[in-house]
């Protein structure tokens, strides 16, 4: 992920490496990093005159190797320190990763352009193989550590999710896996994925692949055309291409921040502009090399302007995490702060006072362990919190996490990175690569096998959806007092997350991105009476019971559903901490469709948990929706929402709590924490005669506790959604209340 050096910091290291590889350098093209001796993940070399590898042609006499950009190695050290400190103690995004993204584009693109311009090999497999030899072993050893710690410390109910992330981590698409599951990268807590930070590694490898194909592909076309004497297109062409794509990516990212930030944060397309601005600077340096004269030869004004530029850049990077909420704003326009600050430090050059500050032994040492330190610190933090049960790390715990991360990072550099970098084709390096490949295969096979086991369990559950009501009364244990003998809980804890309403299985709920209205029919599809089931996933999980009643009592159920989107008549809904404009657009279209359909009733949720404090309430903007439906002559069956599981404002899954040794009561919530004493919909319905309140909370909770198991049936499939199995046992009570409200039976 990062620009790396072996863990032997200081100027002596740089001079030794310089001497070792000096014989390979050719003064060909003005650019910045030697792609043979230094991968894009390693040192930054300042080369205003330019250097190149000699893969194919010796085309110029050797000149002395220019100085390395030690300050940029130090910048890596500062950035990784910010990332770790902000993650461990502050629960915020520092902007340090955005610094790495920009430097990635700068370093890697530079080596590609120079390799192409030198007439060297254009084999992309060779280039990407070098990257994998350096990225692969540290990444695999961390993935293996995460797999072992998951088995030892985490409940088995979390193994599937982490297994999927292990697979996506091995193949560098974990950012898409996290985006699809909407992992919130805000603050560490025990329920956050220990692999969540690998999104940036995946984004960068995807860039490596795309950039290699682009630069080498254009160079290959030019060489095949034989239309000129150049080995590669002029760097200004790459500059224009990179800037053009960066502009498109920036606009896309800015739109995504407002549209769906939970996806946007991990989206490669949205992140690409940060990397491409660094790539554009590399192309610009190849096109117009920076001044290679000594610091003393520069004018006073030039030296002063460079110092001011570098100072402003460093201050901006240090301040970024304090002034910008990166999770809410990046990679939107606010990400320009760390990105432009990084570019400012690159342009300012290696001789400013700031550059000397960044070239201290401590900064260089931090830079030398940057990549493995980044890999290790997050899983160690998450597993520590899982072991202690604390929601966050205090100062002492955080210090231990950092110390352990540093020690493991140093060991990783010494045992894995350094041997590969020192002699990539040696027996030791080859052995490391081979063992890493085998371990990666073991991880993938193990994760796939566990996933297959879970899928088979889900298939068995769906095949046996009819349960013995005497042994599995579920909600009837509360509503009818049917107390069963002890039995194995259904669904199984492993299977519960997949115990879904039929609409999800049918693909009949719009995802976060989709604003088109999807509609499906359930119940008695030939009946003349119609109920529209509309809203978000908390309306959707009632479909199992409503569908069953529709088939029994003779009414059609038409669905209008979108993830995370209760119906709204113009009010801006929040998805997490971010606005959700797609919900507003979808709701407008869904309400219009219902106005055309004119169902007898709209079944939707009528309450939600309070944002601050215990209990639940009915928002005013729900009433606006009911007023609009009333204007169409449509009555509303408003069902009170269920309790959402949370402790100290941290959501948790019932299945994890149960798998970790809890029971139905200890894993539940006090009713008073989740629900008001009186259904809040009642007060609203007094002013809204078209609203018919339904309250099923007595089929979910007793007078004191909302347990997570009733009548041998598991109630929750995650933090706040109900299992389809339990919902089937709710059908009798729901039917009684609907009959009382509508008079249909």
């Amino acid at each position: 992920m990062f620009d790396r050096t072996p863990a032997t910091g200081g100027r002596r290291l740089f001079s030794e490496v310089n001497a070792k590889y000096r014989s390979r350098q050719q003064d060909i093209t003005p650019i910045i990093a030697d792609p043979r001796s230094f991968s894009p993940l390693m040192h930054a070399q300042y080369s205003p005159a330019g250097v190149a590898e000699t893969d194919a042609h010796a085309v110029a006499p050797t000149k002395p190797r220019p100085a390395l950009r030690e300050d940029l190695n130090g910048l890596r050290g500062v950035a990784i320190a910010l990332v770790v400190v902000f993650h461990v103690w502050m629960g915020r995004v520092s902007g340090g990763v955005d610094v790495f993204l920009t430097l990635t584009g700068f370093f890697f693109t530079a080596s590609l352009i120079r390799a192409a311009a030198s007439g060297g090999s254009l084999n992309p497999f060779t280039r990407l193989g070098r990257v994998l030899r350096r990225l692969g072993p540290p990444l695999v050893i961390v993935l293996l550590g995460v797999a072992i710690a998951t088995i030892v410390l985490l409940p088995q109910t979390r193994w599937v999710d982490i297994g999927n992330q292990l697979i996506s981590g091995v193949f560098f698409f974990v950012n898409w896996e996290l985006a699809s599951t909407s992992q919130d990268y805000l603050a560490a807590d025990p329920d956050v994925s220990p692999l969540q930070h690998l999104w940036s590694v995946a984004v960068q490898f995807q860039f490596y692949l795309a950039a290699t194909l682009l630069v080498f592909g254009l160079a290959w076309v030019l060489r095949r055309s034989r239309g000129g004497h150049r080995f590669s297109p002029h760097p200004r062409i790459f500059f224009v291409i990179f800037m053009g794509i960066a502009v498109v990516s920036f606009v896309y990212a800015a739109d995504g921040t407002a549209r769906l930030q939970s996806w946007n944060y991990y989206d490669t397309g949205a992140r690409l502009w940060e990397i491409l601005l660094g790539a554009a600077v590399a192309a610009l340096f190849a096109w117009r090399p920076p001044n290679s004269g000594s610091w003393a030869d520069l004018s006073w004004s030039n030296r002063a302007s460079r110092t001011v530029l570098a100072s402003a850049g460093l201050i901006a990077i240090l301040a970024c995490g304090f002034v910008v909420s990166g999770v809410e704003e990046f990679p939107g326009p606010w990400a320009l702060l760390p990105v432009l600050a990084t570019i400012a430090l690159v342009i300012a050059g290696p001789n400013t006072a700031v550059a000397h500050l960044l070239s201290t032994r401590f900064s260089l040492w931090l830079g030398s362990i940057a990549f493995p330190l980044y890999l290790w610190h997050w899983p160690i933090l998450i597993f520590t919190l899982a072991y202690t049960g604390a929601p966050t790390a205090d100062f002492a715990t955080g210090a231990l996490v950092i110390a352990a991360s540093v020690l493991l990072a140093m060991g990783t550099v010494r045992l894995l990175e350094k041997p590969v970098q020192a002699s990539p084709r040696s027996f030791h390096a080859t052995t490391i690569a081979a063992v890493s490949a085998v371990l990666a295969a073991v991880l993938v096979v193990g994760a796939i096998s566990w996933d297959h086991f879970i899928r088979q369990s889900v298939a068995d559950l769906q095949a046996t959806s009819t349960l013995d009501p005497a042994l599995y009364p579920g909600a009837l244990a509360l509503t009818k007092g049917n107390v069963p003998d002890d039995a194995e809980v259904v669904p199984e804890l492993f299977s519960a997350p997949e115990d879904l309403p039929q609409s999800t299985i049918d693909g009949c709920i719009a995802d976060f991105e989709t604003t088109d209205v999807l509609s499906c029919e359930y119940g008695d599809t030939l009946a003349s009476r119609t109920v529209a089931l509309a809203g978000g996933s908390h309306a959707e999980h009632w479909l199992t019971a409503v569908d069953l009643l529709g088939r029994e009592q003779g009414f059609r159920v038409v669905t209008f559903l979108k993830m995370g989107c209760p119906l709204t008549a113009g009010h801006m809904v929040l998805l997490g901490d971010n606005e959700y404009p797609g919900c507003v657009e979808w709701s407008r279209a869904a309400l219009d469709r219902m106005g055309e359909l004119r169902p007898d009733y709209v079944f939707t949720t009528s309450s939600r948990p309070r944002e601050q404090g215990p209990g639940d309430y009915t928002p005013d903007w729900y009433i606006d929706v009911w007023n609009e439906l009333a204007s169409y002559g449509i009555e509303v069956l408003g069902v009170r929402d269920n309790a959402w599981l949370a402790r100290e404002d941290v959501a948790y899954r019932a299945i994890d709590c149960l798998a970790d040794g809890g029971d139905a009561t200890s894993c539940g919530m006090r009713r008073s924490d989740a629900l008001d004493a009186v259904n809040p919909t009642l007060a609203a319905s007094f002013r809204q005669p078209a609203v018919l309140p339904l309250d099923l909370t007595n089929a979910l909770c007793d007078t004191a506790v909302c347990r997570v198991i009733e009548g041998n049936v598991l109630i929750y499939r995650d933090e706040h959604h109900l299992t389809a199995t339990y919902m089937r046992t709710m059908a009798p009570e729901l039917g009684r209340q609907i009959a009382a409200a509508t008079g249909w039976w």
Side-chain angles (χ1 to χ4, degrees):
M1 170 180 177
F2 307 107
D3 168 49
R4 296 179 288 175
T5 70
T8 54
R11 303 178 190 273
R12 179 179 179 184
L13 169 66
F14 293 105
S15 62
E16 291 174 354
V17 176
N18 181 29
K20 180 176 181 180
Y21 290 97
R22 182 176 297 158
S23 61
R24 300 183 183 180
Q25 309 309 314
Q26 302 295 327
D27 185 12
I28 305 294
T29 306
I31 204 63
I32 53 154
D34 173 15
R36 179 182 293 272
S37 58
F38 297 96
S39 83
L41 307 172
M42 294 171 62
H43 297 288
Q45 177 191 350
Y46 181 61
S47 178
V51 291
E53 61 181 324
T54 57
D55 282 333
H57 302 52
V59 293
T62 301
K63 290 186 178 181
R65 183 186 180 98
L68 298 175
R69 285 294 301 266
E70 295 184 355
D71 60 308
L72 296 185
N73 286 311
L75 177 60
R76 292 169 34 255
V78 171
I80 189 59
L82 289 172
V83 169
V84 173
V85 168
F86 272 75
H87 277 170
V88 172
W89 282 314
M90 300 184 185
R92 291 175 64 89
V93 169
S94 67
V97 172
D98 303 88
V99 173
F100 299 136
L101 291 174
T102 306
L103 289 177
T104 291
F106 183 61
F107 297 143
F108 190 70
T109 307
S111 68
L112 291 178
I113 293 176
R114 193 177 74 239
S118 71
S121 170
L122 297 179
N123 186 341
F125 298 105
T126 300
R127 174 66 52 164
L128 293 172
R130 295 175 188 170
V131 175
L132 286 173
R133 283 197 299 270
R134 291 167 171 84
L135 276 179
L139 177 61
V140 168
I141 200 66
V142 170
L143 292 177
L144 179 64
V146 167
I148 295 172
T150 296
I151 294 172
V152 173
L153 295 175
L154 298 185
Q156 293 180 337
T157 50
R158 296 194 61 190
W159 291 6
V160 166
D161 292 339
I162 294 178
N164 291 336
Q165 291 166 21
L166 286 170
I167 295 172
S168 60
V170 168
F171 294 107
F172 298 101
F173 64 91
V174 70
N175 61 313
W176 299 114
E177 177 71 22
L178 293 168
S180 66
T181 55
S182 298
Q183 291 280 351
D184 182 16
Y185 197 56
L186 176 59
D189 68 63
D191 296 319
V192 169
S193 168
L195 297 174
Q196 201 163 352
H197 64 316
L198 295 186
W199 69 266
S200 57
V201 181
V203 167
Q204 288 176 87
F205 186 81
Q206 292 159 24
F207 168 75
Y208 296 151
L209 178 61
T212 301
L213 295 177
L214 174 64
V215 175
F216 282 7
L218 290 179
W220 181 84
V221 169
L222 183 64
R223 293 185 192 182
R224 293 280 294 179
S225 68
R226 303 181 184 277
H229 299 290
R230 299 185 61 86
F231 289 120
S232 177
H234 193 281
R236 66 171 171 266
I237 295 176
F238 291 118
F239 176 79
V240 171
I241 292 174
F242 295 147
M243 286 300 297
I245 301 175
V247 169
V248 174
S249 172
F250 180 81
V251 173
Y252 174 71
D255 176 66
T257 301
R259 181 166 40 84
L260 186 61
Q261 176 64 2
S262 60
W263 177 280
N264 195 54
Y265 192 88
Y266 301 106
D267 190 346
T268 303
R271 288 286 178 177
L272 198 56
W273 71 267
E274 300 183 71
I275 308 178
L276 286 176
L277 286 186
V281 173
L284 180 63
F285 277 17
W287 176 14
R288 298 179 179 276
N291 191 323
S292 59
S294 68
W295 183 252
D297 294 336
L298 299 177
S299 65
W300 178 88
S301 61
N302 195 323
R303 293 198 300 268
S305 63
R306 287 172 181 259
T307 299
V308 170
L309 186 63
S311 300
L314 182 58
I315 291 171
I317 289 172
L318 294 175
C320 181
F322 295 101
V323 301
V324 180
S325 176
V327 166
E328 297 177 10
E329 301 294 344
F330 292 171
W334 275 104
L336 284 168
L337 180 63
V339 170
L340 294 182
T342 304
I343 292 174
L345 286 162
V346 173
I347 293 175
N351 294 313
T352 65
V354 172
H356 292 312
L357 180 63
L358 292 173
S359 301
T360 61
R361 291 182 63 87
F362 181 70
S363 295
L364 294 175
W365 170 73
L366 274 178
S368 72
I369 63 170
F371 181 60
L373 179 56
Y374 181 83
L375 291 180
W376 281 115
H377 85 282
W378 183 261
I380 291 176
L381 173 61
I382 298 304
F383 285 119
T384 298
L385 296 179
Y387 178 76
T388 62
T392 57
D394 58 24
F395 181 81
T397 301
L400 291 174
V401 166
I402 293 175
S405 303
V406 169
L407 290 174
L408 284 171
M410 294 173 64
T412 302
V413 169
R414 182 176 183 84
L415 299 176
L416 297 180
E417 290 189 1
K418 192 174 180 181
V420 172
Q421 293 172 7
S423 182
R425 298 179 181 178
S426 67
F427 174 79
H428 195 175
T430 302
T431 301
I432 290 174
V435 171
S436 298
V438 171
L439 291 176
V442 169
L443 289 171
V444 170
V445 170
I448 291 175
S449 299
W450 181 254
D451 185 69
H452 175 74
F453 168 74
I454 296 301
R455 289 182 182 274
Q456 187 60 52
S457 299
V458 172
D460 294 342
L461 171 71
Q462 294 172 347
T464 58
S465 58
T466 301
L467 299 173
D468 179 0
L471 196 58
Y472 294 101
L476 296 177
L478 292 172
T479 60
K480 298 293 185 179
N482 297 356
V483 180
D485 295 332
D486 289 340
E488 292 291 329
V489 174
V490 294
E492 292 180 297
L493 300 184
F494 308 134
S495 307
E498 301 301 321
D499 192 13
L500 302 165
Q502 191 62 39
S503 49
T504 294
I505 297 170
D506 294 341
C508 201
I509 178 170
D511 60 24
F512 296 111
E513 289 275 316
T514 301
T515 56
D516 295 335
V517 177
L518 305 177
S519 184
C520 296
E521 294 189 5
Y522 299 93
D524 183 352
T525 58
L526 300 178
S528 59
R529 300 183 300 187
T530 301
V531 171
L533 191 146
S537 58
H538 276 251
E540 184 202 23
H541 65 200
W542 287 97
L543 175 63
T544 303
V546 177
D547 171 40
L548 182 60
L549 291 172
R551 286 185 276 113
E552 290 178 350
Q553 304 297 339
F555 62 88
R556 181 173 59 139
V557 182
V558 182
T559 60
F560 299 90
L561 300 166
K562 179 174 173 62
M563 294 179 182
C565 182
L567 288 174
T568 175
H571 174 83
M572 180 56 69
V573 176
L574 296 180
L575 187 63
D577 294 324
N578 301 102
E579 292 184 345
Y580 191 8
C583 179
V584 178
E585 182 180 348
W586 175 87
S587 290
R588 180 67 271 153
L591 287 169
D592 290 343
R593 287 276 298 275
M594 284 184 276
E596 297 170 0
L597 178 65
R598 300 296 173 96
D600 296 276
Y601 298 96
V602 169
F603 184 102
T604 190
T605 52
S606 61
S607 68
R608 59 191 299 113
R610 282 196 176 87
E611 287 83 359
Q612 302 292 332
D616 57 341
Y617 76 112
T618 295
D620 291 339
W621 48 279
Y622 278 25
I623 299 174
D624 294 336
V625 171
W626 301 343
N627 284 332
E628 179 165 343
L629 291 172
S631 71
Y632 298 141
I634 304 172
E635 293 185 280
V636 174
L637 294 170
V639 63
R640 189 180 188 182
D641 203 359
N642 56 272
W644 294 34
L645 301 178
R647 291 175 181 150
E648 298 180 0
D649 295 325
V650 176
Y652 66 93
R653 298 195 305 178
I655 56 176
D656 295 337
C657 179
L658 292 168
D660 210 25
D663 58 32
T665 301
S666 66
C667 293
M669 287 187 67
R670 290 188 302 177
R671 180 169 181 146
S672 59
D673 289 340
L675 303 168
D676 278 7
V678 178
N679 181 4
T681 313
L682 291 173
S685 68
F686 292 151
R687 304 188 304 273
Q688 305 287 327
V691 177
L692 308 176
L694 307 175
D695 187 350
L696 277 294
T697 54
N698 286 339
L700 293 164
C701 312
D702 64 21
T703 56
V705 180
C706 297
R707 287 186 289 268
V708 297
I709 299 171
E710 291 291 352
N712 294 328
V713 180
L714 180 66
I715 298 176
Y716 291 90
R717 59 181 165 89
D718 57 20
E719 298 90 341
H720 45 78
H721 294 100
L722 309 183
T723 65
T725 301
Y726 193 81
M727 191 58 73
R728 279 189 284 272
T729 71
M730 298 263 280
E733 176 61 18
L734 179 63
R736 185 190 68 79
Q737 293 195 25
I738 290 178
T742 64
W744 273 2
W745 61 87

